[in-house]
Every structure is written in structure tokens, then in C-alpha cells.
Amino acid sequence: MGKPTGFMEWARIVPPRQEPGERTQHWLEFYEDWPEEQARAQGGRCMSCAVPFCMGGCPLGNIIPDFNDLVYRGKWRDALTELHSTNNFPEFTGRICPAPCEGSCVLNINNDAVTIEYIEKAIADRGWREGWIVPEPPEFRSGKSVAVIGSGPAGLAAAMQLNRAGHTVTVFERDEYVGGLLRLGIPEFKLEKNVVQRRVDQMSAEGVEFKTGVYVGKDIHADRLRDDFDAICLTGGSTIARDLPIPGRELDGVHLAMEFLTQQNRVLAGQTFGSDERIVAEGKRVLVLGGGDTGSDCVGTAHRQGAEVVYQFELLPEPPVTRRDSNPWPQWPMILRTSSSHEEGGVRDYDILTKNFSGRNGRVEKMHAVRLEWGPPEETGRPAMIEIPGSEFDLDVDLVLLALGFVHPEREGLLEQLGVQLDGRGNVSTGPNKMTSVPGVFAAGDMSRGQSLVVWALAEGREAARGIDEYLMGKTSLPHSVNTVPTM
């Protein structure tokens, strides 16, 4: 694939981006144009490796060597067709996916991986720019109807696939915008919302109906859905955040990360909030607890709001710069990652246990913590967490953001009304075809998988659509998302 010697001739080059001091002055995406010759050369770095481990690393099973080769040869429209065959929304994954495919790239054994993620973005963006991406309504209607609950990545992928299979699809979204975490959770500087909206517009033109501001399970009972639709697809996400039940959690100024991030996206959309409602970092000492992507998003958002200083603390140890022997290729490399938000400033620290918060007049002023070391594994198999004597410290803070992940979907309301079985982690249990314990009710994405990546949500949404189509019609021509299929 590509140029046989390309990986030896060309180094990995990513699209240029604005300097941190410039990009923190606005909320837009900060990647600049990628010269076509550079993009094609990066496609040419794809090796003729015989076994494309990159495809195994991609939850969608994207046919990566083929579209890399097509980009190298300048066949951009063919590359878009190839990419769309497995990925409904490559402009999403090309912007926000951590690229597990690149971690599995054969070149990554002893060199820099092929820039697969940015090539995806370049293909999709060119498709929109050239007018190649247009509505594709189905040629026939099956007479069957499907309700999709939740308009995040899993819901959008399932809805597009089902509609194109000829079913009448209605997507219910409890918030005022379509897109789920794509629209409200992910900051504008990582994913501009017009990128999401143009896909929603495309799907509307293809016949998908979107109903916003409808909280299924509260505004509409599950029994009504069962009466009105032939199948139901649950894609409501894992929305119950992991909290931090310690003294001082109740103080003003301590918030869940999603309260902060979703409010900022709503502000950018033109909504206004009173001074008593607004969560703002301007001029404040901000502490972000949690070292994942959501925490990083909080860091970047706080920078743009004008924080005085931003701290990001993690309970676990600092990851290594290179792979450990216990984490060999082609596994996902568990290494230290520096996001664009981290490049913009702030203080990162590890092995810290937050003990409590304190303050005056009901408002947080200090975080009290202790440093940790990690001992031999306990009966659970996890390393023992040991507080280091004398390592206690305090930190002056004005705003604390809890980015500690999510534990399970919301059980009250819809899930209770449907009576679907849950797994041991509190997620909706599904079979190989993504159907729940209730016939005709399917689930996909974080609601069934647990908190995961957008690319996994897309793959699961596509697989649920296949299961629903087969359930309704007795057969299906929709493709498998190959890496979601259980293996023996």
C-alpha cells in the first residue's frame, strides 16, 4: 500500500496548528490547512505489512491501508467511499478519536505510526468541501418504525444505518440540541458544532426525524414507545458521573466536569445564565481532579475562560513515556500523553489522594490532600494504595472540577419501565446482536458497553442497526462492525 519505501523516506508530519498563546484567545478549532502534498505523502507511509493490525485496533474495522493508498494516489473521492463503508462520521473520529489504530500500526513497533486519524479528517473535510457528501435517502420504505433514544454518536450511527435500510426512524433527545456528548460535552475547540450539525441536517434530509427536549421515561412512558414503534434502540449513554463523597463536596465551587463543559457549550450557542448559575474560571485557581480526556477538556476550557492557574491531579501514578514490557505492541500503549490543552499551560501531578475540601461562607477555598505510593497487589489484584506519612498538603482553590469518569446509565425511568436486564456493572446487558433481555429492545454505545470512546459508540450503533434490521426483516444487508462481533 502507498509507496513501498515511503515509510523510510518520509517522517510523520501532522497538520500545523496555532500556537497555544494564540488559540487560547478563541473557541474555534485551531488546526490549519494540511497541504495536499503532505497529506498524500503521509498516506504513502502506509506499509505493505501483509497483516493490517491497524484494522484490528480500530473498533469500526476501517479499511485503513486501502484509503491510505487512495489518498497517496490522489483518489480522494474513492477514499471517501472506502471510509464511509465502515464509518458514518469520519470527520468526528478524525478530530476526537485517540486513534487506537495508530497504536496498532506495524510502523509503530519501532517508528512513528502513520497519521491515520488526520488522514481520515482530511478525507471527510474534502468530501464536504467538494460537495461529495449529500443526502442519500432510501429507495424504498419497509413499513417498519424504530425509536432511537439518545442522539449521541451511537444513536446517530444507528439512526443513519436504519434509515438507509428503509425503516422510519425517530430519534428522541432529552436536551435541546441533537448530538449528545458531541454537541454539549466536547469543547468547541476540539469539535466545532457546525461539523455535527451538518450531519444532522444530512440525516434530516434523508428522512430521519429528530425530537429534542423529549425526556423518554419522564415525558413519554416506555409503554407508549412499545405501542408506537416496531423496535427500540437505547443509546442514552453512561450519564451517571462518578462523584467524590468527601467532606466539603457540598461547598459552592465544587462541580462535576460535565456541568462545566456543557454550560460553556450552551453559552457559545447563545444561551445566557445568571451570575448565580454561571460556572466560570476567569481569574480563579482551578483544580481538575481526573487525568482523562474529560479532565483535559476542562483544562483547555479553563484556559480559554481566563483562569489564573490550572492544576490537574490524578490519583494514579504518572504513566511511562514509552511502553512497559507488560504492554507490548500491538496493544494500546499505556503511556504519558500530552494533549493540546496540556500544551497550553497548567500543572499536572500524580499519586494524589484528595481527602477533603474546606472554605468559608459556604464556598470552597482549599483542597486537602496526601501523596501516595503503591504497594504489592491486594486480593482484588489491584496495587495497594498507601498514604505517605508526612506528605499531607493543602492547595488554595476557587473552582474544583470533578472529571472522574462515569459509572453507568440512568436506571430510573426508561430502563425500569422497560424492565431490561443489567449487567454486573449496571449497564444494559445485550446479546451478540445487541438485543436486550426484552424482545425488540436493543442497546448500544456507553449505555451497554460502559464509558468508552466515540469510535466504539459508532461501531456499536452500527452493529445495533444490523441487529434491528435482521429482527424486523428476518435478514439484513447491513454490514457488521467487525470488531464488535463476539469471538469464541
Side-chain angles (χ1 to χ4, degrees):
M1 295 298 170
K3 185 177 182 181
T5 58
F7 69 95
M8 295 186 289
E9 298 176 25
W10 296 311
R12 175 184 169 99
I13 298 176
V14 301
R17 54 191 184 186
Q18 296 173 358
E19 292 298 318
E22 180 181 358
R23 65 185 187 234
T24 53
Q25 302 305 308
H26 62 78
W27 292 94
L28 302 177
E29 293 178 13
F30 45 79
Y31 282 96
E32 299 174 348
D33 290 338
W34 204 12
E36 180 172 347
E37 62 273 16
Q38 283 189 8
R40 292 180 60 179
Q42 293 304 298
R45 293 184 73 236
C46 189
M47 305 170 68
S48 181
C49 56
V51 179
F53 284 87
C54 56
M55 290 177 60
C58 174
L60 286 160
N62 284 340
I63 310 170
I64 295 165
D66 287 13
F67 70 66
N68 279 338
D69 177 60
L70 289 166
V71 166
Y72 170 64
R73 293 190 286 131
K75 296 187 175 182
W76 289 90
R77 189 162 191 170
D78 291 341
L80 179 65
T81 300
E82 192 75 63
L83 187 50
H84 269 157
S85 71
T86 56
N87 186 349
N88 299 76
F89 313 115
E91 66 272 35
F92 299 168
T93 52
R95 285 170 163 81
I96 58 176
C97 184
C101 53
E102 294 185 14
S104 298
C105 174
V106 171
L107 190 54
N108 198 37
I109 295 175
N110 62 354
N111 205 326
D112 294 327
V114 176
T115 55
I116 301 168
E117 179 186 12
Y118 297 117
I119 289 173
E120 279 191 29
K121 177 179 181 295
I123 293 169
D125 286 354
R126 181 153 185 168
W128 284 105
R129 192 166 59 249
E130 299 285 351
W132 299 334
I133 301 175
V134 296
E136 300 177 30
E139 295 181 359
F140 74 96
R141 286 292 177 185
S142 67
K144 303 291 186 180
S145 60
V146 183
V148 176
I149 315 304
S151 68
L156 291 179
M160 177 177 276
Q161 293 292 96
L162 288 164
N163 182 70
R164 289 182 174 180
H167 308 304
T168 300
V169 180
T170 303
V171 178
F172 294 90
E173 170 56 55
R174 67 181 181 180
D175 288 317
E176 67 273 39
Y177 304 106
V178 174
L181 98 100
L182 298 169
R183 182 61 183 79
L184 287 176
I186 296 173
E188 189 96 10
F189 57 84
K190 287 177 63 176
L191 177 65
E192 290 184 19
K193 304 316 165 190
N194 65 319
V195 174
V196 179
Q197 188 59 45
R198 65 189 178 188
R199 279 294 186 181
V200 174
D201 293 342
Q202 178 197 12
M203 292 174 65
S204 295
E206 292 178 358
V208 176
E209 182 179 6
F210 293 98
K211 292 188 175 182
T212 58
V214 180
Y215 202 145
V216 178
K218 292 185 178 180
D219 300 331
I220 298 178
H221 196 277
D223 290 344
R224 179 177 163 189
L225 288 183
R226 300 296 302 277
D227 292 339
D228 292 349
F229 295 91
D230 298 300
I232 299 170
C233 187
L234 305 175
T235 57
S238 181
T239 55
I240 303 301
R242 180 176 287 106
D243 213 323
L244 189 63
I246 60 174
R249 167 63 181 91
E250 74 286 353
L251 292 170
D252 288 343
V254 183
H255 301 274
L256 295 173
M258 277 298 159
E259 296 173 355
F260 177 63
L261 295 174
T262 57
Q263 187 186 86
Q264 180 58 47
N265 277 324
R266 286 186 165 101
V267 168
L268 292 173
Q271 295 188 34
T272 56
F273 295 85
S275 58
D276 58 332
E277 301 175 282
R278 189 78 166 93
I279 307 170
V280 64
E282 183 178 2
K284 293 179 180 177
R285 297 161 296 188
V286 179
L287 171 63
V288 179
L289 294 180
D293 288 341
T294 301
S296 173
D297 292 346
C298 289
V299 171
T301 300
H303 288 322
R304 283 160 179 76
Q305 287 188 355
E308 177 184 318
V309 62
V310 183
Y311 302 92
Q312 185 178 20
F313 291 168
E314 169 62 69
L315 178 74
L316 299 174
E318 181 175 353
V321 177
T322 58
R323 292 178 185 265
R324 292 189 174 97
D325 291 342
S326 59
N327 177 217
W329 176 91
Q331 294 178 359
W332 172 246
M334 305 297 290
I335 59 175
L336 180 66
R337 301 179 189 281
T338 299
S339 72
S340 61
S341 294
H342 296 138
E343 293 173 355
E344 295 161 4
V347 179
R348 301 167 76 184
D349 208 344
Y350 300 84
D351 297 311
I352 294 175
L353 174 65
T354 304
K355 302 290 284 186
N356 65 283
F357 303 111
S358 64
R360 290 178 297 177
N361 301 320
R363 182 152 195 91
V364 68
E365 292 183 339
K366 286 185 181 293
M367 169 255 214
H368 306 275
V370 63
R371 295 193 176 273
L372 302 172
E373 60 183 6
W374 299 88
E378 301 176 311
E379 291 182 2
T380 61
R382 298 175 180 175
M385 187 174 68
I386 304 169
E387 298 183 14
I388 300 175
S391 67
E392 298 84 359
F393 71 96
D394 301 336
L395 183 71
D396 293 334
V397 295
D398 305 303
L399 176 63
V400 179
L401 302 171
L402 306 179
L404 306 175
F406 300 85
V407 291
H408 53 69
E410 186 175 316
R411 298 164 183 166
E412 296 78 14
L414 180 61
L415 298 188
E416 288 182 346
Q417 292 168 15
L418 288 170
V420 294
Q421 183 177 340
L422 305 179
D423 64 20
R425 296 184 299 156
N427 302 314
V428 178
S429 182
T430 62
N433 65 348
K434 304 304 293 179
M435 188 156 70
T436 70
S437 58
V438 178
V441 179
F442 296 73
D446 289 2
M447 181 165 268
S448 62
R449 182 180 177 81
Q451 177 188 344
S452 191
L453 305 174
V454 166
V455 67
W456 268 113
L458 295 177
E460 292 229 332
R462 287 172 61 90
E463 193 63 23
R466 176 184 167 85
I468 293 169
D469 188 40
E470 188 172 29
Y471 169 80
L472 293 175
M473 308 301 290
K475 60 181 180 179
T476 182
S477 59
L478 292 177
H480 271 302
S481 285
V482 294
N483 290 335
T484 67
V485 180
T487 56
M488 300 299 292

